[in-house]
Amino acid sequence: MKDIQNSIDKRKLSINKTGIKHLIYPMKIACKGDRYQTSVCEFDMFITLPHNFKGTHMSRFIEIVEKYRTKIINLDIIGEMAEDIMKKLEAKSAEIKIIFPFFIEKTSPISKKKSLLNYQCRFVCAIKGNTKENILEVRVPITTLCPCSKEISKNGAHNQRSHVMIRVNSSRKIWIEDIIKLVEKQAPCEIFTLLKRDDEKYVTEKAYKNPKFVEDIVRDIVFQIKKDKNIIWYGVGVLNEESIHNHDAFGYIEGGKTPKCIHWRYS
Amino acid sequence: MKDIQNSIDKRKLSINKTGIKHLIYPMKIACKGDRYQTSVCEFDMFITLPHNFKGTHMSRFIEIVEKYRTKIINLDIIGEMAEDIMKKLEAKSAEIKIIFPFFIEKTSPISKKKSLLNYQCRFVCAIKGNTKENILEVRVPITTLCPCSKEISKNGAHNQRSHVMIRVNSSRKIWIEDIIKLVEKQAPCEIFTLLKRDDEKYVTEKAYKNPKFVEDIVRDIVFQIKKDKNIIWYGVGVLNEESIHNHDAFGYIEGGKTPKCIHWRYS
Amino acid sequence: MKDIQNSIDKRKLSINKTGIKHLIYPMKIACKGDRYQTSVCEFDMFITLPHNFKGTHMSRFIEIVEKYRTKIINLDIIGEMAEDIMKKLEAKSAEIKIIFPFFIEKTSPISKKKSLLNYQCRFVCAIKGNTKENILEVRVPITTLCPCSKEISKNGAHNQRSHVMIRVNSSRKIWIEDIIKLVEKQAPCEIFTLLKRDDEKYVTEKAYKNPKFVEDIVRDIVFQIKKDKNIIWYGVGVLNEESIHNHDAFGYIEGGKTPKCIHWRYS
Amino acid sequence: MKDIQNSIDKRKLSINKTGIKHLIYPMKIACKGDRYQTSVCEFDMFITLPHNFKGTHMSRFIEIVEKYRTKIINLDIIGEMAEDIMKKLEAKSAEIKIIFPFFIEKTSPISKKKSLLNYQCRFVCAIKGNTKENILEVRVPITTLCPCSKEISKNGAHNQRSHVMIRVNSSRKIWIEDIIKLVEKQAPCEIFTLLKRDDEKYVTEKAYKNPKFVEDIVRDIVFQIKKDKNIIWYGVGVLNEESIHNHDAFGYIEGGKTPKCIHWRYS
């Protein structure tokens, strides 16, 4: 059978990214303490195609995912997958992104009730020649309370569900669980899936004592991240689903050495 | 050219709904006071296909939409479109749903600044033989504040963005603008796109004075709707995007004479 | 601490549904052959609130989910959860919906390569007094090819990704796996995550030999479902993401005894 | 009333982006030939906040949008808005992104029937000190047919709906309409909202004669773009919603001088 993908291309245009998007696969995600949890992942996987090849072999991306199906994955393993793809498709660069929900068992502050909270996470790994880069992204839902509204109002203050998006490129292994803890400490108050009445009182009062703008939260998180000397690059965004509006407030800070292999221009 | 759709089918199965979904078209939506606004609508349009026909002619749905492109539409005009489709496709029943954002200019409570707020609306019309039914759906974003949190906390109370979904089948013409007003009056506080500091104080304090559960809001809205004797059927849902959780609270009441031609089992 | 939810309400309006929406939790889903798979579920859970109660206790829904976290669930277990909620909240009716991706290992037709395909599923259970109803929903992606396009064109025929949505209320236990098999047999061709070149040839040629309109597929599936005397009610929808348009074609048939406790008017 | 946002911040962290996201507003979009169309836009608007300021004044972003509500907008006007925001908020940089559906009246190839097709577009403008950059993004739905499937199969070839995403930074004014034409010429076949049977024959046969991989389409489009010497930077992505899979194929090429002010790392 003719292998059209392997035929020669004369347009003299190499392709930055070719591969698959939106592949849904269940995977085992590494947790702290030698454990794992099964989650449902969405994969984007690309390689670079030299100008003289007509097309890539899309089925080989799936074969790589199948190969890792029973393994416990983390950022390092995603890096191995990227290397595997490069070899299998004889490419000079590769990139893998996977998005998945990650669950942590939390204990409510007063009644000590246990429940799970989900955090959307992303592993990104790109290889270009001899350079390999990793990014861990974690999204943390929190509650925020407006300092301006508190200051100017006789009673109460508007507050809302907010989402912190944090991305780090670290030279040392970094755990999802630790990133979440770092973020939740800087929130006016962390949130929980299960709260009894005395917990609700605690959460309401703690947020009221601790008002912060999006700008405050993003700064406070970055202030903490900068203490970790292993973090090469970071990007932190905070989105407030304003309770007094139908649009959102947003703040973003990034710093460190901008990744060279990973970019978001094609997302 | 052979008309396969018109060939005879022997499986003896009539089709409840056949047609098109997710068609995006700009349309002119009627506003109070003989005005209109241009919006971007998403159409679902179906007819019933008798058991002896193999398929419908999908292009004719588009021709009907094209025909109404320059007209100013409301629930009555959607009804005319449904009749047109029935005729054109020789069908015994038809259904049209369109979803679109609708904008209202609101004035902030203290500084009197003007801005637009968007409300997702839906017109639904179904005809079955001689029976024709209409439903108007409006979604109204509001701010809600928790009575329990206020009662038990020393200061503050958790509040959040909420969405009211209201559906009515009315025997008399009913305006989107009036439904929105009815809903916003029952909210702890309505929301605005543009608020200056003194407005923010007003909104914060009003919501704090006026705490309501999802159950309260849905009841208060239904209490008002029941006063309107022209309303044959109503369904009211309230969704609170809880600021202290990552899931939502929901309440729903419906009443009156359940629609016979319109149902949501296939959505 | 005052229990505001338990206070007496005087508006004389009972609430059809009150509870939580969009709760994300990992659960173990039963598979054929005494096995299970871990998936990520989204829960909607409601009870009916009598007119004289002000509010429900939202945290109790979460406690029920927590209780079932380590169990292997299926439609029967969802029914038990609904009964638990009724007891715990002293309600006269309850409803639970959970949506989750379900994976099946498929073998490609010629090269016999294995890979997973995901199918979005839903368990729905509603109890009203002594009546309990279950619905299983499965969404099956397939490939479809247009009979009209094939008939009138010299070469080729437009084809596309399509989605079958099938809902059944059955008096006997019914497996997700069996519903998927039933649907895939009626498709012009089933789809696979991993296809090598000889598989791609097989799939292309099979779909070309087997053209069907949305109307054909929905009829062929219903024809098969009607043979199963345990199925009390069914609803089958087919959506074609037309490759020659930017909108979709849709067909829907339902039959049997319409569910009384489960309805979609508030979704 | 105290202006908390204006108070002094001591964390020594300037903020790359602070502002609003997901604001929905109707706007008049410029079309070729001195005409405009009303569309529904989603705005993201940011400024940079110096390290010594605590917060920005979110309401001023809305005031700017209000000011431009009645104007006809294009990339240049978005640039003016960005300048206005910088002045109003005394910022050193600003960024605006708006996304909106844009409609073009197309004529079917044989029957010459008219209908509208919608294209999702985006204007992006960022200013940093004296540098101003613009990007126009257009998304064009097309039909694609697989060369490999055609080559190896006795009859037919799998085809599907695909989406081209094209982004350009041009030194000269560039029309949405012209970008769409450029893309549609390189597609196996362009798509239409309204097709009669003889049009369907034409579209089916044209796509069959003109098979292309994602890699081919992205190369052919880039080949054309490179002829336009005014284009400073481009990024072109093609996504095939594969009819034989439940995941997508993707190809991306970018070239020219990478934008300095506009980046996607925080999206």
Side-chain angles (χ1 to χ4, degrees):
Chain A
M1 228 178 265
K2 200 174 154 188
D3 185 350
I4 295 202
Q5 282 89 343
N6 253 344
S7 61
I8 287 167
D9 201 279
K10 292 175 178 164
R11 278 160 295 194
K12 300 283 175 211
L13 283 166
S14 64
I15 294 182
N16 300 55
K17 311 275 168 195
T18 179
I20 59 165
K21 270 178 94 89
H22 310 135
L23 172 72
I24 312 294
Y25 239 76
M27 300 295 283
K28 295 173 177 168
I29 312 290
C31 303
K32 266 186 115 164
D34 273 328
R35 292 175 311 105
Y36 72 86
Q37 57 181 265
T38 301
S39 193
V40 174
C41 302
E42 187 180 309
F43 282 83
D44 287 1
M45 304 170 85
F46 313 118
I47 51 120
T48 301
L49 191 74
H51 70 89
N52 51 325
F53 285 103
K54 188 169 170 66
T56 194
H57 293 85
M58 300 286 182
S59 64
R60 298 189 191 168
F61 292 96
I62 312 294
E63 286 171 328
I64 294 287
V65 176
E66 257 298 304
K67 183 179 155 188
Y68 283 80
R69 201 213 308 177
T70 54
K71 299 190 183 177
I72 296 169
I73 62 168
N74 56 22
L75 263 179
D76 289 343
I77 303 298
I78 295 299
E80 282 179 28
M81 286 179 78
E83 278 170 26
D84 264 23
I85 286 168
M86 280 175 73
K87 261 181 246 159
K88 200 160 187 173
L89 289 165
E90 294 168 52
K92 295 231 168 87
S93 62
E95 180 168 336
I96 299 181
K97 285 190 200 172
I98 79 168
I99 307 178
F100 54 92
F102 186 86
F103 293 89
I104 286 184
E105 191 181 74
K106 299 186 70 171
T107 305
S108 71
I110 307 299
S111 71
K112 305 299 174 194
K113 295 267 184 184
K114 288 183 192 313
S115 64
L116 300 180
L117 188 58
N118 74 304
Y119 303 86
Q120 203 193 37
C121 296
R122 191 164 3 195
F123 292 150
V124 185
C125 180
I127 308 176
K128 204 172 180 173
N130 294 319
T131 311
K132 189 193 254 190
E133 279 173 350
N134 287 322
I135 283 179
L136 171 64
E137 176 186 312
V138 183
R139 288 175 188 256
V140 183
I142 59 170
T143 191
T144 59
L145 189 136
C146 178
C148 170
S149 170
K150 178 180 173 178
E151 173 70 29
I152 63 182
S153 306
K154 227 169 13 196
N155 292 111
H158 78 80
N159 52 74
Q160 52 268 318
R161 197 186 293 165
S162 299
H163 299 272
V164 177
M165 183 269 285
I166 178 164
R167 289 174 174 163
V168 291
N169 170 217
S170 170
S171 60
R172 271 214 334 192
K173 197 173 195 160
I174 198 159
W175 291 101
I176 295 171
E177 291 91 334
D178 294 335
I179 292 285
I180 291 170
K181 238 178 239 166
L182 184 154
V183 169
E184 291 185 340
K185 267 192 195 158
Q186 304 307 321
C189 193
E190 60 183 305
I191 68 175
F192 301 86
T193 300
L194 176 50
L195 292 174
K196 302 304 288 183
R197 228 163 327 142
D198 40 9
D199 301 313
E200 189 175 347
K201 173 180 162 63
Y202 173 91
V203 168
T204 304
E205 293 176 354
K206 185 173 172 195
Y208 190 79
K209 265 183 229 148
N210 200 18
K212 291 189 182 190
F213 289 125
V214 278
E215 291 96 338
D216 290 317
I217 299 164
V218 77
R219 275 172 169 149
D220 288 345
I221 292 169
V222 166
F223 197 80
Q224 296 304 319
I225 286 176
K226 284 167 77 93
K227 291 180 184 168
D228 183 344
K229 294 308 165 207
N230 299 305
I231 289 177
I232 298 163
W233 177 84
Y234 60 85
V236 181
V238 178
L239 185 97
N240 279 11
E241 297 176 349
E242 299 285 294
S243 64
I244 59 170
H245 296 303
N246 203 22
H247 59 269
D248 304 323
F250 185 70
Y252 178 82
I253 298 178
E254 68 172 47
K257 217 179 127 200
T258 307
K260 279 196 178 145
C261 306
I262 298 172
H263 61 80
W264 280 269
R265 286 192 296 276
Y266 59 93
S267 65
Chain B
M1 230 180 263
K2 200 173 154 187
D3 185 350
I4 295 203
Q5 281 89 342
N6 253 344
S7 62
I8 287 166
D9 200 278
K10 291 174 177 165
R11 279 161 294 195
K12 300 284 176 213
L13 284 165
S14 64
I15 294 181
N16 300 55
K17 310 277 168 193
T18 180
I20 59 165
K21 269 178 95 88
H22 309 136
L23 171 73
I24 312 294
Y25 240 76
M27 301 293 286
K28 294 174 177 169
I29 312 289
C31 303
K32 266 186 113 163
D34 273 327
R35 291 174 313 106
Y36 72 87
Q37 57 180 265
T38 301
S39 193
V40 174
C41 303
E42 186 179 309
F43 281 82
D44 287 1
M45 304 170 85
F46 313 118
I47 52 120
T48 300
L49 192 73
H51 71 89
N52 52 325
F53 285 103
K54 188 168 171 63
T56 193
H57 293 85
M58 300 286 181
S59 63
R60 298 189 191 168
F61 292 96
I62 312 293
E63 287 171 327
I64 295 287
V65 176
E66 258 297 305
K67 182 178 157 188
Y68 283 80
R69 202 214 304 179
T70 53
K71 299 190 182 177
I72 295 170
I73 62 168
N74 57 21
L75 264 178
D76 289 344
I77 304 296
I78 295 299
E80 282 179 28
M81 286 179 80
E83 279 170 27
D84 263 23
I85 287 169
M86 281 175 74
K87 260 180 248 160
K88 198 159 188 175
L89 289 165
E90 294 169 53
K92 294 232 167 85
S93 63
E95 178 168 337
I96 299 180
K97 284 190 201 174
I98 80 167
I99 308 177
F100 54 91
F102 186 85
F103 293 89
I104 287 185
E105 191 181 74
K106 298 186 70 171
T107 305
S108 71
I110 307 298
S111 72
K112 306 298 174 195
K113 294 267 183 183
K114 287 181 192 315
S115 64
L116 300 181
L117 189 56
N118 73 303
Y119 304 85
Q120 202 194 36
C121 297
R122 188 158 15 188
F123 292 150
V124 185
C125 180
I127 309 176
K128 205 172 178 172
N130 292 320
T131 312
K132 189 193 253 192
E133 279 174 350
N134 287 322
I135 283 179
L136 171 64
E137 177 186 312
V138 183
R139 287 175 188 257
V140 183
I142 59 170
T143 191
T144 60
L145 188 136
C146 178
C148 170
S149 170
K150 177 179 173 177
E151 173 70 27
I152 63 181
S153 306
K154 231 173 5 199
N155 292 112
H158 77 81
N159 52 72
Q160 52 269 318
R161 196 187 292 166
S162 299
H163 300 273
V164 176
M165 182 270 285
I166 179 164
R167 289 173 174 164
V168 291
N169 170 218
S170 171
S171 61
R172 271 215 332 193
K173 197 174 196 159
I174 197 159
W175 290 100
I176 296 169
E177 291 90 334
D178 293 336
I179 292 285
I180 291 170
K181 237 178 239 167
L182 183 153
V183 169
E184 291 184 340
K185 267 191 194 157
Q186 304 307 321
C189 193
E190 61 184 301
I191 68 175
F192 300 86
T193 299
L194 176 50
L195 293 173
K196 301 306 287 182
R197 226 162 330 142
D198 41 7
D199 302 312
E200 189 176 348
K201 175 180 161 64
Y202 174 92
V203 168
T204 305
E205 293 175 352
K206 184 171 174 198
Y208 190 80
K209 264 184 231 147
N210 199 19
K212 292 189 181 190
F213 289 125
V214 276
E215 291 96 338
D216 290 316
I217 299 165
V218 76
R219 274 172 170 147
D220 289 344
I221 292 169
V222 167
F223 197 81
Q224 296 304 317
I225 287 177
K226 284 166 77 91
K227 292 181 185 168
D228 183 343
K229 295 307 165 206
N230 298 305
I231 289 178
I232 299 164
W233 177 84
Y234 59 84
V236 180
V238 179
L239 185 97
N240 278 13
E241 297 176 349
E242 298 285 295
S243 64
I244 59 170
H245 297 302
N246 203 23
H247 59 268
D248 304 324
F250 185 70
Y252 178 82
I253 298 177
E254 66 171 50
K257 217 178 128 201
T258 307
K260 279 196 179 144
C261 306
I262 297 173
H263 62 81
W264 280 269
R265 286 192 295 277
Y266 60 93
S267 65
Chain C
M1 230 178 265
K2 200 173 156 187
D3 185 349
I4 294 202
Q5 281 89 345
N6 253 343
S7 62
I8 287 166
D9 200 279
K10 293 175 176 164
R11 278 160 294 193
K12 301 282 175 214
L13 284 165
S14 64
I15 294 182
N16 301 54
K17 311 275 168 195
T18 178
I20 59 165
K21 269 177 96 88
H22 309 135
L23 171 72
I24 312 293
Y25 240 74
M27 301 295 281
K28 294 174 177 169
I29 312 290
C31 304
K32 266 186 115 164
D34 273 328
R35 291 175 311 106
Y36 73 87
Q37 57 180 265
T38 302
S39 193
V40 174
C41 303
E42 187 179 310
F43 282 83
D44 287 1
M45 305 170 84
F46 313 118
I47 51 118
T48 301
L49 192 74
H51 71 88
N52 52 325
F53 285 103
K54 186 168 170 67
T56 194
H57 293 84
M58 300 285 181
S59 63
R60 298 188 191 170
F61 292 96
I62 312 293
E63 286 171 328
I64 295 286
V65 176
E66 257 298 303
K67 183 179 156 189
Y68 283 80
R69 201 213 307 177
T70 54
K71 298 189 183 177
I72 296 169
I73 62 167
N74 56 23
L75 263 179
D76 288 345
I77 304 297
I78 295 299
E80 283 179 26
M81 287 179 78
E83 278 170 26
D84 264 23
I85 287 169
M86 280 174 73
K87 261 181 247 159
K88 200 160 186 175
L89 289 166
E90 294 169 53
K92 295 230 167 87
S93 62
E95 179 170 336
I96 300 180
K97 285 190 199 172
I98 79 166
I99 308 177
F100 54 92
F102 186 85
F103 293 89
I104 287 185
E105 191 183 73
K106 299 186 70 172
T107 305
S108 71
I110 307 298
S111 70
K112 306 299 175 194
K113 294 268 184 184
K114 287 183 191 315
S115 64
L116 300 180
L117 189 58
N118 74 305
Y119 303 87
Q120 203 192 37
C121 297
R122 192 164 2 196
F123 292 150
V124 185
C125 180
I127 307 176
K128 205 172 179 172
N130 293 319
T131 312
K132 189 194 254 190
E133 278 173 350
N134 287 323
I135 282 179
L136 171 63
E137 177 187 312
V138 183
R139 288 174 188 255
V140 183
I142 59 169
T143 191
T144 59
L145 188 137
C146 178
C148 169
S149 170
K150 178 180 173 179
E151 173 72 27
I152 62 181
S153 305
K154 228 171 10 195
N155 292 112
H158 77 80
N159 52 72
Q160 52 268 318
R161 196 187 293 165
S162 299
H163 299 273
V164 176
M165 183 271 285
I166 177 164
R167 290 173 174 163
V168 292
N169 171 216
S170 170
S171 60
R172 269 213 335 191
K173 196 174 195 157
I174 198 159
W175 291 100
I176 295 170
E177 292 90 335
D178 293 336
I179 291 286
I180 291 170
K181 239 178 238 166
L182 184 153
V183 169
E184 291 186 341
K185 267 192 195 156
Q186 304 307 321
C189 193
E190 61 183 302
I191 68 174
F192 301 86
T193 299
L194 176 49
L195 292 173
K196 302 304 289 183
R197 229 164 326 143
D198 41 8
D199 302 313
E200 189 175 349
K201 174 180 161 65
Y202 173 91
V203 168
T204 304
E205 293 175 354
K206 185 173 173 195
Y208 190 79
K209 266 184 227 146
N210 199 18
K212 291 189 181 190
F213 289 125
V214 277
E215 291 96 338
D216 291 316
I217 300 165
V218 76
R219 274 171 169 149
D220 289 345
I221 292 169
V222 167
F223 198 81
Q224 295 305 317
I225 286 176
K226 284 167 77 94
K227 291 179 184 169
D228 183 343
K229 294 308 163 205
N230 299 305
I231 289 177
I232 298 163
W233 177 84
Y234 59 85
V236 181
V238 179
L239 185 96
N240 278 11
E241 297 176 350
E242 299 285 294
S243 63
I244 59 170
H245 297 303
N246 203 23
H247 60 270
D248 304 323
F250 185 70
Y252 178 81
I253 298 178
E254 66 171 50
K257 217 179 127 201
T258 307
K260 280 198 178 141
C261 306
I262 297 172
H263 61 80
W264 281 268
R265 287 193 294 276
Y266 59 94
S267 65
Chain D
M1 230 178 265
K2 199 174 156 187
D3 185 351
I4 294 203
Q5 281 89 341
N6 254 345
S7 61
I8 287 166
D9 200 277
K10 291 175 178 164
R11 278 161 294 194
K12 299 285 175 212
L13 284 164
S14 65
I15 294 181
N16 301 55
K17 310 276 168 193
T18 180
I20 59 165
K21 270 178 94 87
H22 309 137
L23 171 73
I24 312 293
Y25 239 77
M27 301 294 285
K28 294 174 178 169
I29 312 289
C31 303
K32 267 186 112 164
D34 272 328
R35 292 174 312 106
Y36 72 88
Q37 56 180 266
T38 302
S39 193
V40 174
C41 302
E42 186 179 309
F43 282 82
D44 287 1
M45 305 170 83
F46 313 119
I47 52 118
T48 301
L49 191 74
H51 72 89
N52 52 325
F53 285 103
K54 188 169 171 64
T56 194
H57 293 85
M58 300 286 181
S59 64
R60 298 189 191 169
F61 292 95
I62 312 295
E63 288 171 328
I64 295 286
V65 176
E66 258 297 306
K67 182 179 156 189
Y68 283 81
R69 202 214 306 178
T70 53
K71 299 191 181 175
I72 296 170
I73 62 168
N74 56 21
L75 264 179
D76 288 344
I77 303 297
I78 296 298
E80 282 178 28
M81 286 179 80
E83 278 170 26
D84 263 24
I85 287 169
M86 281 175 72
K87 260 180 249 161
K88 199 158 188 174
L89 289 165
E90 294 168 54
K92 294 232 167 84
S93 63
E95 179 169 335
I96 301 180
K97 285 191 202 171
I98 80 167
I99 307 177
F100 55 91
F102 186 85
F103 293 89
I104 287 185
E105 191 182 73
K106 298 186 70 171
T107 305
S108 71
I110 308 297
S111 72
K112 305 299 174 195
K113 294 267 184 183
K114 287 182 193 314
S115 64
L116 300 181
L117 189 57
N118 73 304
Y119 303 85
Q120 202 192 38
C121 296
R122 188 160 12 191
F123 292 150
V124 185
C125 180
I127 308 176
K128 205 172 179 171
N130 293 319
T131 313
K132 189 193 252 191
E133 279 173 350
N134 286 323
I135 283 180
L136 171 64
E137 176 186 312
V138 184
R139 288 174 188 256
V140 183
I142 58 170
T143 191
T144 60
L145 188 135
C146 178
C148 171
S149 169
K150 177 179 173 179
E151 172 70 26
I152 63 182
S153 307
K154 231 173 5 200
N155 292 112
H158 78 79
N159 52 74
Q160 53 268 318
R161 196 187 292 164
S162 299
H163 299 273
V164 177
M165 182 270 285
I166 179 164
R167 289 173 176 165
V168 291
N169 171 218
S170 171
S171 60
R172 272 217 329 195
K173 197 174 195 161
I174 197 158
W175 291 100
I176 294 170
E177 291 91 334
D178 293 336
I179 291 284
I180 290 170
K181 238 178 238 166
L182 184 154
V183 169
E184 292 185 338
K185 268 192 194 157
Q186 303 306 320
C189 192
E190 62 183 302
I191 68 175
F192 301 86
T193 300
L194 176 50
L195 292 173
K196 302 305 287 182
R197 228 163 328 142
D198 41 7
D199 301 313
E200 190 176 348
K201 175 180 161 63
Y202 173 91
V203 168
T204 304
E205 293 176 353
K206 184 171 175 198
Y208 190 79
K209 265 183 228 145
N210 200 18
K212 292 189 181 190
F213 288 125
V214 275
E215 291 97 338
D216 291 316
I217 300 165
V218 76
R219 274 173 170 146
D220 289 346
I221 292 169
V222 167
F223 197 81
Q224 296 304 318
I225 286 176
K226 283 167 78 92
K227 291 180 185 168
D228 182 343
K229 294 307 165 205
N230 298 305
I231 290 178
I232 298 163
W233 177 84
Y234 58 86
V236 181
V238 178
L239 184 97
N240 278 12
E241 297 176 349
E242 299 284 295
S243 64
I244 59 170
H245 297 302
N246 202 24
H247 60 268
D248 304 323
F250 185 69
Y252 177 81
I253 298 177
E254 66 172 48
K257 218 178 126 200
T258 307
K260 280 198 178 142
C261 306
I262 297 173
H263 62 80
W264 280 270
R265 286 193 294 277
Y266 59 92
S267 65

